[in-house]
Amino acid sequence: MSKRANIAENQLWVTKERYLNLDSRITYTKIIAPDTKNEERIADVAKRLQPSYLIITLGIDYGVYYYRNDLQTFAKYYEKLLDALNDASPDTTLILQSVFPVTRACTNLTNQMIDNANAVIADIAGRRELVYLDTQQVLRDEAGYLREEFCNSADGIHLSEAAYTEILSFIEAKAVEM
């Protein structure tokens, strides 16, 4: 098994449905714990595992779109998640990652909506003295859209394996700088 496959297999914290809604239930939603494979609240997993680092990555369907016209609520729920993780595992370094861009084909979201959400995330990172990783820079074409080779869906939202490889390379390079 490659190092990256091992990361995906043992370190990815996702729900059974593979997404986590950024809403009032954010601290109650259960993820698949990487060590037990049981469904548990994310803060409970963080408390037990006490990871050195935890990268917070949001998709766009269940966060950015919901609050595209209400960035204050977006920030509130994002910070609620960070507070729960910090309370559960205060020595864990939280790293906030940008939300990924979409292609021209995306009809329900715009990169402006995503940029607005990313500005909120970057602001939260700055106020909390956390690292903000602008991974979208490695995914965008010259016009600012998700590069076509990095899209794996007709809706212009979902990333390809090549995109995730690029993101992991970017994160690995930034980790050396930390």
Side-chain angles (χ1 to χ4, degrees):
M1 179 180 294
S2 73
K3 181 179 177 183
R4 286 192 174 156
N6 188 43
I7 289 170
E9 178 70 24
N10 297 312
Q11 302 301 317
L12 192 61
W13 296 17
V14 297
T15 66
K16 184 169 50 173
E17 294 81 19
R18 308 286 295 168
Y19 62 84
L20 184 66
N21 286 348
L22 186 64
D23 60 21
S24 61
R25 300 169 305 224
I26 189 70
T27 57
Y28 299 103
T29 302
K30 294 185 177 183
I31 64 165
I32 305 295
D35 58 335
T36 66
K37 306 301 184 218
N38 294 326
E39 288 187 278
E40 301 175 51
R41 292 178 327 136
I42 192 169
D44 294 337
V45 175
K47 185 173 187 170
R48 184 179 65 255
L49 296 180
Q50 298 287 308
S52 298
Y53 298 92
L54 188 59
I55 300 173
I56 308 299
T57 306
L58 290 180
I60 56 177
D61 290 355
Y62 302 100
V64 174
Y65 184 74
Y66 285 172
Y67 306 113
R68 63 195 176 279
N69 298 316
D70 186 3
L71 293 173
Q72 196 169 30
T73 300
F74 175 88
K76 179 176 95 173
Y77 293 140
Y78 197 96
E79 293 207 66
K80 182 178 181 179
L81 173 62
L82 298 179
D83 289 342
L85 290 167
N86 191 58
D87 290 347
S89 186
D91 294 329
T92 296
T93 299
L94 298 176
I95 300 169
L96 311 186
Q97 184 178 354
S98 62
V99 178
F100 309 131
V102 295
T103 66
R104 284 179 177 83
C106 186
T107 58
N108 58 339
L109 286 159
T110 67
N111 282 320
Q112 185 59 57
M113 290 176 197
I114 294 165
D115 291 345
N116 293 342
N118 283 334
V120 169
I121 296 168
D123 179 67
I124 291 169
R127 282 189 289 103
R128 290 180 174 237
E129 299 180 353
L130 301 173
V131 173
Y132 173 73
L133 290 177
D134 183 12
T135 51
Q136 67 174 339
Q137 65 182 286
V138 300
L139 301 175
R140 287 185 164 193
D141 64 17
E142 62 286 340
Y145 292 98
L146 177 64
R147 290 173 21 203
E148 293 296 330
E149 68 268 24
F150 289 153
C151 186
N152 192 32
S153 62
D155 64 6
I157 294 173
H158 299 97
L159 301 182
S160 67
E161 185 176 334
Y164 287 112
T165 298
E166 194 74 19
I167 292 163
L168 280 174
S169 293
F170 178 84
I171 292 170
E172 288 168 346
K174 290 296 182 182
V176 172
E177 297 172 14
M178 289 189 231

